[in-house]
Amino acid sequence: INSIVITSEGEFIAAGAVNNGEYDEAFITKLSGDGATISDFASSGVYKTTYSQENTINAISLGEDNTILAVGFMTSTDSKDIFVLTLEEESESQTTAVTFLETDIAQDDDIGYAAVALDSSSLFAAGSSSNGSDLDVALLRFSSDASVSTGEGGVSGSTEGVIASGFRITTKELQAITRVSVVSGGTIDQFSNSEEDVT
């Protein structure tokens, strides 16, 4: 367990990683005030990713409506990328919607260590980005007004009532850096499984 927060109802949200025998997989679980697993969370009490490479959650934060926002890293082909996951429960329909982003900043190891939710659709993530010789501070803001889209992949255990959608963001080299702004660019790919990307 790398991070734990308390909800407005006095429940606990814990997150981190569990080893599957080959590599670590990120997980999120919800516990009652007395420490018991809440079984209807994510259909089985625990949401665990099932991507084909190492991934972990280092920090979580709650949005205004208790949407869970998490950051960490996912190992790609040749490096680690900042991993952002959003988990939203719909109590009326008993579904859990999961959206995840994989952000490659500098073509080397990028890791998210801290998360602060401004609201349910905006997140600040802080961490590090390697330039090949040393580490730079990475501060990112993620924002979305769109509802979670449905897709496949990244869900373990009972998948009934769980939908997931994933995106990979690759940024270009930063230019025109000033005290208050920077110019960049990049691509966003949607994928249903981390082994195969679909633009």
Side-chain angles (χ1 to χ4, degrees), residues 99-179:
T99 299
F100 56 94
L101 297 172
E102 186 180 348
T103 304
D104 185 8
I105 299 174
Q107 310 299 316
D108 214 321
D109 284 353
D110 307 313
I111 300 175
Y113 291 108
V116 176
L118 302 182
D119 51 46
S120 296
S121 62
S122 186
L123 172 75
F124 270 114
S128 65
S129 178
S130 173
N131 59 24
S133 59
D134 57 26
L135 296 177
D136 297 324
V137 172
L139 180 62
L140 303 93
R141 180 175 180 175
F142 298 91
S143 180
S144 175
D145 296 324
S147 59
V148 177
S149 59
T150 61
E152 301 175 1
V155 181
S156 69
S158 171
T159 59
E160 183 179 349
V162 180
I163 56 175
S165 182
F167 302 86
R168 176 175 291 123
I169 301 173
T170 303
T171 59
K172 294 182 179 178
E173 184 176 350
L174 301 180
Q175 301 176 15
I177 301 173
T178 71
R179 185 174 57 86

Side-chain angles (χ1 to χ4, degrees), residues 1-2 15 19 29 47 78 84 89 104 151 173 192-193:
I1 293 175
N2 295 328
N19 192 275
T29 187
Y47 168 81
D78 54 1
V84 178
E89 293 182 279
D104 185 8
E173 184 176 350
S192 59
N193 187 291

